[in-house]
């Protein structure tokens, strides 16, 4: 039985000659046991009829926002929630541009913008359009958003020329999706602890010591692990984020000591722990229970004490079968500092990112990391979306399980 059996797939079809391949792709999805909803652009209907697609999918084809004769509304939001993945094949240069820039003037693009599941884009166009800087920039944008680009083939094109632009063959697209969903199960049965966000160390009821961490990297890791079958406990400092996967249990904390306590409660039972939170190194020694008033006293002196090192504490408690992953955000001597932390805290892996790398660090939607392990191995990754960085990190964890 195919791993696609029972999956909900949105098949988006654009107006290009390669639309004829979408019929074969649709048949292969149905044969694999998937439930498929076709969403086609108005131009797409010039190449393949909705009647053919509806007969194969056993569902009415969606093209317009509402049915003209009945006024029935087609909810792109409901489709986005229903789907396990969205595949746009063929994806024309026009639709790729609209997706990249949020131009929601048809049902396919609005469905894409509402999709909560992974999106796979299979471009198809003539070689000059494919090579054009605007198309390449739009594809890079889509990839940075976390979409998966299924690269077109090089071969004979409808223009009579030969070059890169042929939509990947339907059988290969099915294999691509099967490989993706197979990797989604490689943490099934595993228990994972992840920390995320900053900690806030109270000065008085209205002030604190903290940092700029948004929590995005930790939450992306939690979603990635849960999507791959793990049971995740996410210990989160104060952030404006919410975990979406129901397999994620979120424990909200404020201070470093609260975070350590929450981690120690679950750490003995987990297989993997990822210390992604940006924990404050220091806390006020004497937090006040009332607001410090500027008018009634001189500038106060705040005595600081060291916070517990959560990763190092868990490193001392770690069992042989457990994998402990740390993070290092550095501004100088990055590699030597990361390696030193790896050894000192008894980590199995450490993920390094540098504040000197544009697009990495706090508050961004992207990150650029290097991963070190205890054997001296180091892998450098380019700048990617934090969702893709989470995939890279979890892949490395899985290889060690």
């Amino acid at each position: 039985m195919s791993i696609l059996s029972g999956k909900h797939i949105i098949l988006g079809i654009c107006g290009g000659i390669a639309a004829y391949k979408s019929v074969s792709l649709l048949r292969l999805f149905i044969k694999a046991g998937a439930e498929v909803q076709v969403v086609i652009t108005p131009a797409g209907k010039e190449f393949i009829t909705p009647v053919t697609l509806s007969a194969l999918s056993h569902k009415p084809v969606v093209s317009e926002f509402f049915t003209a004769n009945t006024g029935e509304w087609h909810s792109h939001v409901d489709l986005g929630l229903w789907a396990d993945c969205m595949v746009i094949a063929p994806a024309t240069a026009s639709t790729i541009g609209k997706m990249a820039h949020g131009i929601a003037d048809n049902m396919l693009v609005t469905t894409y913008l509402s999709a909560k599941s992974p999106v796979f884009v299979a471009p198809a166009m003539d070689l000059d359009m494919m090579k054009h800087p605007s198309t390449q920039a739009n594809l890079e944008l889509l990839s940075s958003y976390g979409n998966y680009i299924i690269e077109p083939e090089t071969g004979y094109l409808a223009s009579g020329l030969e070059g890169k632009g042929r939509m990947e063959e339907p059988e290969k697209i099915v294999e691509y999706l099967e490989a993706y969903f197979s990797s989604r199960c490689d943490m099934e049965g595993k228990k994972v602890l992840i920390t995320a966000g900053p900690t806030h160390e109270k000065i008085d009821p209205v002030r604190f010591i903290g940092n700029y961490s948004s929590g995005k990297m930790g939450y992306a890791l939690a979603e990635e692990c849960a999507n791959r079958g793990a049971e995740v406990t996410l210990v989160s400092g104060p952030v404006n984020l919410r975990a979406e996967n129901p397999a994620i249990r979120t424990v909200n904390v404020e201070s470093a000591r609260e975070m350590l306590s929450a981690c120690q409660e679950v750490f003995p039972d987990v297989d993997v722990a990822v210390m992604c939170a940006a924990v404050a190194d220091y806390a006020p020694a004497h937090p006040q229970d009332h607001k410090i008033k500027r008018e009634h006293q001189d500038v106060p002196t705040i005595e600081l004490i060291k916070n517990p090192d959560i990763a190092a504490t868990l490193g001392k408690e770690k069992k042989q079968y457990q994998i402990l992953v740390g993070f290092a955000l550095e501004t100088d001597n990055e590699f030597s500092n990361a390696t030193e932390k790896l050894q000192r805290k008894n980590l199995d892996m450490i993920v390094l990112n540098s504040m000197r790398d544009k697009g990495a660090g706090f508050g961004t939607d992207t990150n650029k990391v290097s991963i070190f392990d205890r054997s001296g191995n180091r892998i450098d990754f380019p700048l990617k979306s934090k969702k893709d960085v989470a995939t890279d990190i979890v892949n490395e964890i899985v290889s060690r399980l």
Side-chain angles (χ1 to χ4, degrees), residues 106 112 142 185 194 213 222 274 282 291 303 340 392:
N106 62 46
Y112 158 72
L142 288 182
C185 302
I194 296 173
S213 175
V274 184
Y282 303 98
K291 180 181 177 182
E303 181 186 353
E340 186 273 331
D392 291 334

Side-chain angles (χ1 to χ4, degrees), residues 162-383:
E162 288 195 33
K164 186 173 181 179
R166 284 175 58 89
M167 186 182 107
E168 181 60 276
E169 294 303 316
E171 292 80 6
K172 293 290 186 181
I173 294 176
V174 172
E175 289 177 9
Y176 193 103
L177 263 67
E178 287 178 333
Y180 172 84
F181 281 110
S182 293
S183 72
R184 300 297 93 181
C185 302
D186 53 14
M187 296 194 80
E188 193 165 354
K190 300 298 182 184
K191 293 184 178 180
V192 180
L193 165 66
I194 296 173
T195 64
T199 62
H200 289 177
E201 312 301 330
K202 186 180 293 185
I203 297 172
D204 65 17
V206 298
R207 302 179 180 91
F208 61 86
I209 294 174
N211 56 59
Y212 295 115
S213 175
S214 65
K216 291 177 180 178
M217 191 70 252
Y219 273 71
L221 282 163
E223 296 289 349
E224 180 71 14
C225 289
N227 289 342
R228 295 167 79 150
E231 179 184 328
V232 179
T233 298
L234 175 62
V235 179
S236 175
V239 297
N240 294 315
L241 300 171
R242 181 172 60 87
E244 295 183 1
N245 193 303
I248 300 172
R249 180 176 75 95
T250 304
V251 180
N252 294 308
V253 298
E254 183 175 357
S255 68
R257 284 173 170 75
E258 289 175 357
M259 183 171 282
L260 174 60
S261 177
C263 288
Q264 287 183 304
E265 185 175 335
V266 299
F267 183 65
D269 298 321
V270 303
D271 302 285
V272 178
V274 184
M275 301 291 99
C276 188
V279 182
D281 294 321
Y282 303 98
H286 307 291
Q288 302 296 303
D289 58 6
H290 60 277
K291 180 181 177 182
I292 300 171
K293 300 292 288 182
R294 181 176 62 178
E295 294 85 356
H296 298 155
Q297 64 181 69
D298 295 330
V299 177
T301 298
I302 300 174
E303 181 186 353
L304 299 178
I305 57 174
K306 277 189 175 182
N307 269 329
D309 188 324
I310 298 175
T313 302
L314 298 186
K316 294 176 182 177
E317 301 173 1
K318 181 167 71 80
K319 302 181 182 73
Q320 186 172 1
Y321 70 86
Q322 291 177 308
I323 293 176
L324 181 59
V325 182
F327 270 69
L329 177 62
E330 301 292 341
T331 59
D332 53 78
N333 300 319
E334 293 93 335
F335 298 128
S336 59
N337 286 339
T339 303
E340 186 273 331
K341 285 182 180 179
L342 174 74
Q343 301 296 330
R344 175 168 52 84
K345 299 187 182 188
N346 193 28
L347 306 174
D348 297 285
M349 288 169 44
I350 192 164
V351 181
L352 166 68
N353 54 357
S354 173
M355 290 293 286
R356 293 195 291 182
D357 288 325
K358 186 178 180 180
F362 291 151
T364 66
D365 292 321
T366 56
N367 209 352
K368 182 181 180 182
V369 304
S370 298
I371 298 177
F372 300 74
D373 67 16
R374 295 185 69 83
S375 300
N377 299 310
R378 169 182 152 192
I379 307 173
D380 298 321
F381 295 92
L383 186 71

